[in-house]
Amino acid sequence: MELHVVIEGDKDLAGQLYRQLKDAIRTGRLAAGEKLPPSRLLAEQLGLSRKTVSEAYARLSFDRLLTARVGSGTFVAEGAARGPSPAAARSLAGSAMVEHWRGMNTPLRHPAPAGSARYEYIGGAPARDLFPHADWRRCVLHALRQGTRSRGLYGDAEGLHELRDGIARHVSFSRGVRCGAADILVTNGAQQALDLIARVLVEPGSTVAMEEPGYPPARQLLGAQGAKVVGVPVDREGLVVERIPDGTRLIYVTPAHQFPLGVAMSERRRKALLARADELGAIVIEDDYDSEFRYEGRPADSLQSMDERGLVAFVGTFSKTLSPDLRLGYLVAPPAVLEAVGTAKHLTDWHTSTQAQWALAKFIADGNLNRHVRRCHAVYAARRERIVRRFADDLSPWFELLPVTAGIHMAAVCRREIDIGQLVALARRVDVGLYPLAPFFHFSPPRPGLMLGFGAIDEADIDPSLDRVRDVLLQMG
C-alpha cells in the first residue's frame, strides 16, 4: 500500500515530504509504531531521489518523530502524535436532526457496568461457556472452503439459499411457522429485520403500536423513522388488543415471551390481535427472540402459524441461541412486503456476510443447532428453577415473580415499597449485577421491579448471589 503523499512541482522536494510526514504524525494519521516505507521504495513511489527521501527522514528523526531500528526499518516514534485537531464548529443545515439522534436515550446500547459484576443477572445474554466452539470452528472451516469456490461476486440480498432453507426447516419444526426458503430474508440480527420492515411501511406520522412496557430499541427505531409510536398496555394475557388505536399500520409484539415481563400471550388474545390487524390492514411484527427455550406447559402456536391473511412478519435471531457476536437473524416476511424488504436490504448493506451464512447453514444442517439448544435448555431450566425457588422462599416478602414459561429472563415485581435504584447500587457493591424494569417503560409510570436474566450466571452462583441480595434488602429495612 502506498503512503499518501502529494509532491507538487520540483522545488523544495525534501521540505514538502518532511512537512507532510510531520503533519501526518502530529495529527495521528501515522500512528505511533507505524512502519514507514524504506527510503528506496518511497522514492520510487513518489518519483524522487533516494537522497531526498533520506534527507526528510533524517530531519524527522532529529525532531524525534521517527526512530530507526537496525535491520527492521524506520518507525513513527512513541508519543509523537498529538491527536487530530478538532474541526472548527459550524452551523449545519441538518443540525436539528443530528441533535435528535445525539439526544436519543439508548438504555441498552452501553449497559455499563453491565457484565462487570461477579454475579450477573443481565437480561438477554446467553451463556458464553456453552457456546459450541469446536462445532462452530468446523463449520467456519467449511465456510472458508466454500469461499474459495465462489466467483468473487456479491450474493443475493435475501441471503444464501442453503441457510434460508435451513432456517425454514428449523422454524417450521420448532415454532410451527409456515414458510419455505423463498419466504425468508437473512439479516444482521433481529434489529435489522425490524429496521427493514419499518423502512417499507413507516412514513412520518404513521401510527405504530407496541407493547408497554416493551423493547426500547424497537420503539426508538420506529420513532426514528418518523412514526407516531403508541404504547399499548400489557396484562397477564399479553397485549390488550382493544387498546390498539384506529389508523395503526404496524404492530410490534413479543407474544411467546413478552419483553420484559415474560408473560405469554393467550390464544384468545392472539386471535383477537390477528382480527384487529385484519380490520386495520396492519402488519404485525412477531419478535420471537428467545422462545426456543420452553420449560413448562404446552407449546403455543406462533402468530404466524395462525395467520390466514398474510399479515404477520416473523422475526427471529441467533443472538440468544448462539451468540450476539454473530449478528445473524432472519425475517419470515408475508408476501405483501417480501419483495419490498428484499429491495431495502439490498440498498442498505447488499447482503449479510456470506462466510457467516455458510457456517451457520452447515451448523444447522449437521444438527448442531438442535443439539446446542437441547443442551442449553437443560442448563437454563435448572437455573430458572433455582431462582423460582428462592423468590418463593426467603425473597418472597419483597418480590413476586411473574409467571414465565419460556426464554432466558424473568421479571420480579415489588410486593412492598422498595427503592430499586438503591437496591441496584448496593447489590453492585457486593458484586451482584441487578437490572431494574423501569427503563422498559416509556408511556406509563414504571412498575418497580427487576429483570432477572439467567443466561449469564452459573447455577452454582445463584444461591450465593441471592443471599447477598437478601442481606442487602434486610439492611435497607
Side-chain angles (χ1 to χ4, degrees), residues 117-340:
R118 177 181 176 184
Y119 305 111
E120 270 298 336
Y121 287 92
I122 186 168
R128 288 179 294 180
D129 59 329
L130 295 180
F131 185 83
H133 290 282
D135 292 333
W136 184 254
R137 188 179 300 111
R138 285 192 291 270
C139 294
V140 170
L141 291 174
H142 168 79
L144 290 172
R145 289 192 294 270
Q146 299 304 312
T148 62
R149 301 169 188 163
S150 72
R151 297 166 295 166
L153 302 175
Y154 289 103
D156 293 332
E158 291 78 11
L160 192 69
H161 174 78
E162 288 81 355
L163 177 55
R164 294 161 70 196
D165 183 64
I167 292 172
R169 288 185 283 106
H170 173 69
V171 297
S172 297
F173 179 84
S174 64
R175 296 292 293 121
V177 174
R178 297 182 296 179
C179 67
D183 303 308
I184 290 176
L185 190 81
V186 179
T187 61
N188 296 318
Q191 193 70 12
Q192 188 187 41
L194 303 181
D195 177 69
L196 295 174
I197 298 170
R199 285 175 185 270
V200 303
L201 285 173
V202 172
E203 55 189 349
S206 303
T207 299
V208 174
M210 68 172 292
E211 299 160 326
E212 170 69 5
Y215 183 51
R219 171 178 53 77
Q220 292 164 323
L221 184 148
L222 294 165
Q225 299 281 10
K228 176 188 175 185
V229 183
V230 177
V232 179
V234 172
D235 63 17
R236 289 180 180 260
E237 287 191 73
L239 188 79
V240 182
V241 174
E242 57 267 27
R243 298 284 294 274
I244 298 174
D246 293 339
T248 296
R249 69 169 61 178
L250 189 62
I251 305 167
Y252 172 85
V253 290
T254 52
H257 183 223
Q258 200 277 330
F259 188 92
L261 300 181
V263 298
M265 187 181 292
S266 67
E267 184 177 358
R268 179 177 72 88
R269 287 280 176 85
R270 292 170 189 250
K271 292 178 178 178
L273 174 57
L274 291 172
R276 179 61 170 156
D278 185 42
E279 177 186 346
L280 295 167
I283 289 290
V284 178
I285 299 176
E286 179 180 11
D287 190 346
D288 198 70
Y289 61 100
D290 69 355
S291 70
E292 288 94 342
F293 306 113
R294 172 163 292 279
Y295 310 108
E296 60 184 57
R298 295 178 179 176
D301 288 329
S302 63
L303 273 178
Q304 196 271 357
S305 68
M306 300 170 63
D307 178 25
E308 301 291 343
R309 306 169 180 88
L311 296 173
V312 176
F314 185 92
V315 173
T317 179
F318 295 96
S319 294
K320 307 298 184 292
T321 49
L322 285 171
S323 171
D325 292 338
L326 300 180
R327 302 311 307 138
L328 286 169
Y330 55 91
L331 166 64
V332 182
V337 301
L338 178 60
E339 185 176 353

Side-chain angles (χ1 to χ4, degrees), residues 300-414:
D301 288 329
S302 63
L303 273 178
Q304 196 271 357
S305 68
M306 300 170 63
D307 178 25
E308 301 291 343
R309 306 169 180 88
L311 296 173
V312 176
F314 185 92
V315 173
T317 179
F318 295 96
S319 294
K320 307 298 184 292
T321 49
L322 285 171
S323 171
D325 292 338
L326 300 180
R327 302 311 307 138
L328 286 169
Y330 55 91
L331 166 64
V332 182
V337 301
L338 178 60
E339 185 176 353
V341 294
T343 300
K345 169 71 174 174
H346 169 75
L347 294 176
T348 302
D349 66 356
W350 208 298
H351 61 79
T352 298
S353 167
T354 304
Q355 186 179 114
Q357 291 189 65
W358 273 118
L360 183 55
K362 176 71 170 172
F363 191 81
I364 295 173
D366 288 353
N368 292 316
L369 179 61
N370 287 335
R371 285 192 294 272
H372 176 65
V373 169
R374 287 196 297 269
R375 180 189 179 203
C376 290
H377 181 277
V379 173
Y380 293 152
R383 296 176 184 179
R384 171 185 173 273
E385 181 60 30
R386 190 170 290 269
I387 293 172
V388 169
R389 287 203 303 267
R390 287 299 302 269
F391 275 81
D393 188 20
D394 54 342
L395 292 172
S396 62
W398 294 278
F399 290 102
E400 173 192 2
L401 280 180
L402 296 183
V404 58
T405 59
I408 55 174
H409 81 264
M410 60 183 72
V413 295
C414 295

